[in-house]
Amino acid sequence: MPDTSPTPLESIQQAAEQVRQQLNLKTFDAEAVAHLDNFIEAQRGVLPAAERDGVVMALGCFLGQCMVQVYRAEWGTGKDGSTGVGLAGRFFFNPFYLVNSQLNEGETASVAAFFASVPQRLKTPPAARKTWIS
């Protein structure tokens, strides 16, 4: 009997779609991330500890999917084994960490501000590799 369970990528995409529908958003774009930012702020201080991990997971899937759609990022696994999105073969961002940071720190760790910073990050040339050994 074939395995019909979703792949990890399908599970992430399904979770992102559920968040999109629950927040009544049209698409995965910058406007949706701004709404997500406001939603996270509204949850700070009222989110029950027992629900936090699930909320971080769901909202992180949504944030990551917005990065995939807007910035042509790709879901993948980082060097440390974490799940996140890769951009331009140079960057790897963990959207779950970003959501959790805003829940902990508030607007100083805004997911919307981070999202808006991505184009500038992409324009910054990669750091030159040092050819000497220290």
Side-chain angles (χ1 to χ4, degrees):
M1 186 164 194
D3 182 10
T4 58
S5 59
T7 66
L9 179 59
E10 289 169 337
S11 295
I12 287 170
Q13 292 169 332
Q14 288 169 0
E17 178 60 22
Q18 287 176 337
V19 170
R20 188 194 66 75
Q21 289 176 14
Q22 287 175 342
L23 296 180
N24 198 28
L25 300 168
K26 295 177 186 168
T27 188
F28 299 96
D29 61 7
E31 184 178 325
V33 174
H35 188 85
L36 174 66
D37 187 278
N38 291 332
F39 181 78
I40 293 170
E41 281 304 302
Q43 296 305 305
R44 292 185 71 234
V46 298
L47 181 64
E51 296 176 21
R52 186 181 176 107
D53 288 347
V55 168
V56 167
M57 184 64 65
L59 299 182
C61 288
F62 181 80
L63 176 60
Q65 194 62 30
C66 288
M67 293 174 72
V68 166
Q69 295 289 323
V70 173
Y71 299 122
R72 297 186 181 156
E74 294 181 81
W75 283 102
T77 304
K79 293 176 183 175
D80 63 355
S82 64
T83 299
V85 291
L87 279 160
R90 293 184 16 222
F91 300 102
F92 184 80
F93 300 111
N94 182 326
F96 310 102
Y97 174 82
L98 295 168
V99 167
N100 194 49
S101 292
Q102 185 173 348
L103 278 170
N104 288 334
E105 302 166 30
E107 282 297 319
T108 60
S110 164
V111 296
F114 169 81
F115 192 84
S117 77
V118 170
Q120 186 59 42
R121 292 171 191 259
L122 292 172
K123 288 179 189 175
T124 304
R129 289 210 154 157
K130 294 179 181 170
T131 56
W132 48 270
I133 299 173
S134 58

